[in-house]
Amino acid sequence: MPVVRGKDIEMLFSASAIARRNLELAKDIAARDYDNLLVISILKGSFIFAADLIRAMHDAGVEPEVEFIFISSYGSGTTSGEVKVLRDIDNDVRGRDVLLIDDILESGKTLKFTRELMVSRGAKSVSIAVLLDKRTRRQTEIDADYVGFECPDYFVVGYGMDVAHAFRELPFVGVVRGEA
Ligand code: IMP
Ligand code: MG
């Protein structure tokens, strides 16, 4: 088991498995023939996935514009969870095909909120790509169009995802299993 900062990290999805899956997702996205695609990466958790996925999309012949939105959700996983925009995109989405990219789809609140925001601003279509889907945790009716992997109900870290601001830099997705 890899040891990082004195903790055992159990690897769930290796860097090479993620890279292979990103190529498949990119081909699926290319097959949809989006028009004038605007990718919106939801910060902070999706920054590494988005960076890899858009380069895989380039190899698959897709030429998106790229934006970032900083969304925070307090009390995620509870019914009182409040979602808000901490930093908005700079771009007009009216009439655009939008692809939202996030790290994990869990309760669904973050992506439901963000999708509705883009629809209300006049996006022509809003699709969703997530690296991980924790389906058993869903509290709202929402599904992603592109899912990297089904994720077991563990708190995962790495590949952009953190626990208390740590472990975002890991090149793989893993679970913290305690002291090494
Ligand atoms: P949702 O609104 O409940 O779907 O929340 C999804 C957000 O919660 C993701 O964008 C992540 O930032 C965060 N999140 C959910 N599960 C995990 C996890 O296991 N590790 C790290 N972040 C997580
Ligand atoms: Mg997030």
Side-chain angles (χ1 to χ4, degrees), residues 65-105:
E65 288 178 19
V66 183
E67 274 288 345
F68 302 89
I69 192 165
F70 194 156
I71 301 281
S72 88
S73 59
Y74 294 103
S76 170
T78 72
T79 44
S80 58
E82 187 203 347
V83 182
K84 57 182 182 185
V85 178
L86 296 184
R87 185 197 177 281
D88 210 337
I89 56 172
D90 302 320
N91 224 313
D92 190 353
V93 301
R94 207 163 315 152
R96 307 282 306 261
D97 282 327
V98 169
L99 176 65
L100 301 176
I101 300 185
D102 205 359
D103 50 1
I104 303 193
L105 177 54

Side-chain angles (χ1 to χ4, degrees), residues 116-130:
E116 282 171 2
L117 182 65
M118 298 308 156
V119 168
S120 75
R121 290 174 177 179
K124 183 169 98 191
S125 73
V126 182
S127 307
I128 294 172
V130 293

Side-chain angles (χ1 to χ4, degrees), residues 42-46 71 73 75-78 83 102-112 132 134 137-140 142 151-158 160-163 168 174:
I42 301 179
L43 298 176
K44 302 177 188 172
S46 79
I71 301 281
S73 59
S76 170
T78 72
V83 182
D102 205 359
D103 50 1
I104 303 193
L105 177 54
E106 195 173 286
S107 75
K109 282 176 191 155
T110 304
L111 277 162
K112 185 167 189 283
L132 303 176
K134 284 191 195 171
R137 305 275 291 189
R138 203 79 86 251
Q139 293 178 23
T140 54
I142 187 160
C151 185
D153 188 13
Y154 303 131
F155 197 85
V156 298
V157 298
M161 293 171 282
D162 72 309
V163 58
R168 287 194 199 276

